[in-house]
Amino acid sequence: MEKDMIVNPYEVKGDIDYDKLIKEFGVEKINNKLLERIKKHTKELHFMLRRGVFFANRDMNWLLDEYEKGNKFFLYTGRGPSGPIHLGHLGTWTFVKWLQDKFGVELWFQFTDDEKFLFKDKSFEEIQKWTDDNMLDVIALGFDPKKTHFIVDTRNANLLYPEAIKFAKKITFSTVKSAFGMTNENNIGQIFYTSMQAVPAIIPSILKKKNIPCLIPLAIDQDPHFRVARDVYPKLGYYKPAIIHGMFLPPLSGISGKMDSSGNENSASILTTDTSEEVKRKINKYAFSGGQPTIEEHRKLGGNPDIDVCFQYLRMFFEEDDAKLKKIHDDYKSGKLLTGELKQYTINKINEFLKNHQKKREEAKKQLDKFIYK
Ligand code: TRP
């Protein structure tokens, strides 16, 4: 059953071994000392940090050194707008919002319409439509409009392009080939793209004419872009950005790979626009279960929460309360809690969240202007 693991910005496949990724990517695991250091400033730890959903980093200690000297950082993350937003994206951004609140910092959010046009078989017009659509989901999470700036690669090209070429000049095709598995058949826009993703990490430094530290929260598949670009920042006179890496919310079908909404079949993901009936249907029909085939066996042998997709959704996103999560874990494992019951609990949690999100998403249509960088 073991499938070969592939993790890069353009493909995530197989059983994900996060410890192996830490080694392969050359990043550092988040240890207790770093958690304590973060907690000194945030007073509490977000459950995604407590539970290791955000599990690795680059240069977070440096970032906190600077912060403690009074050199505040800003946050940078982004979205490739190729389709609808699903729960996996929202998990990462919920954590970003927490960081913005706790540290009181700016967020620069990049929409890479160029990237998705270059990499997907979709028209420029369709990607524009998803760009506008996806912005609503980001706004709905409650980011501070005074401290949050949306940039769109092709719409803010005058800001981004003059900097992107400076990165491009210092990155060779052979580096990009080995970092992303590209070949001579890749189109030339794809080869160039990493330099666009590198730029927002220095935009505030350019605008304020002084170096400002940057923290990039991302799902670990995006790390290779920065692994390549981080060598270039100092050459251009900037700090290397710090990074904090998150895990993937698994697809409904099982704990390998990541949730993905770009396929034709929607069975892998729950979208932010799904109705409560759709959520119920998808979870009941598709969510991979760690339970036993019959109730009798389940009562006797118990279930396996580690491979149960609903339990993982609760752990990684929807059940903030550690005591409740532990009880669900223990009851499922002992056989006291049945798969149907665990699914119903998860459905309720997701629907509660989505009801609020969908309301905020509607309201966001009137707020767009406050977020778009001009
Ligand atoms: N390439 C990312 C995607 O496909 C979007 C993105 C742009 C991003 N800049 C980023 C993601 C910075 C994380 C951090 O979704």
Side-chain angles (χ1 to χ4, degrees), residues 220-240:
I220 194 160
D221 59 331
Q222 291 297 315
D223 184 79
H225 285 302
F226 297 104
R227 192 166 73 232
V228 167
R230 267 166 52 94
D231 291 338
V232 183
Y233 293 97
K235 294 181 189 162
L236 302 177
Y238 301 100
Y239 297 133
K240 292 183 180 189

Side-chain angles (χ1 to χ4, degrees), residues 270-303:
I270 294 174
L271 309 180
T272 63
T273 49
D274 280 349
T275 63
S276 52
E277 288 74 34
E278 276 166 321
V279 171
K280 184 174 177 175
R281 190 184 64 86
K282 284 184 183 179
I283 293 277
N284 281 332
K285 182 159 179 203
Y286 297 115
F288 183 83
S289 161
Q292 304 295 343
T294 67
I295 293 186
E296 290 69 40
E297 282 169 277
H298 190 85
R299 292 277 188 226
K300 199 156 67 207
L301 304 167

Side-chain angles (χ1 to χ4, degrees), residues 123-135:
S123 71
F124 189 72
E125 289 67 33
E126 182 176 359
I127 299 292
Q128 295 311 307
K129 192 190 93 189
W130 288 120
T131 303
D132 298 327
D133 169 277
N134 291 180
M135 284 178 178

Side-chain angles (χ1 to χ4, degrees), residues 76-80 110 112 115-116 197 216 218 222 226:
Y76 157 43
T77 195
R79 158 71 183 159
Q110 180 184 35
T112 57
E115 176 190 23
K116 295 300 142 166
Q197 186 154 327
I216 311 174
L218 44 69
Q222 291 297 315
F226 297 104

Side-chain angles (χ1 to χ4, degrees), residues 325-342:
L325 187 75
K326 183 171 184 322
K327 185 162 168 27
I328 292 167
H329 177 274
D330 294 351
D331 286 353
Y332 196 58
K333 218 171 166 158
S334 74
K336 189 170 161 204
L337 185 70
L338 299 174
T339 293
E341 293 166 336
L342 175 58

Side-chain angles (χ1 to χ4, degrees), residues 314 318-319 344-354:
L314 295 176
F318 293 102
E319 184 52 78
Q344 191 55 52
Y345 187 84
T346 309
I347 291 166
N348 292 346
K349 277 283 185 186
I350 294 175
N351 280 337
E352 214 176 282
F353 174 90
L354 282 184

Side-chain angles (χ1 to χ4, degrees), residues 9-10 76-82 89 92-93 108-113 115-116 120 153 193 196-198 200 215-219 221-223 225-226 243 258:
Y10 303 109
Y76 157 43
T77 195
R79 158 71 183 159
S82 57
H89 304 120
T92 310
W93 302 336
W108 286 75
F109 199 108
Q110 180 184 35
F111 292 88
T112 57
D113 60 336
E115 176 190 23
K116 295 300 142 166
K120 302 268 174 175
D153 285 357
Y193 169 71
M196 289 297 284
Q197 186 154 327
L215 172 62
I216 311 174
L218 44 69
D221 59 331
Q222 291 297 315
D223 184 79
H225 285 302
F226 297 104
I243 301 178
K258 69 166 182 176

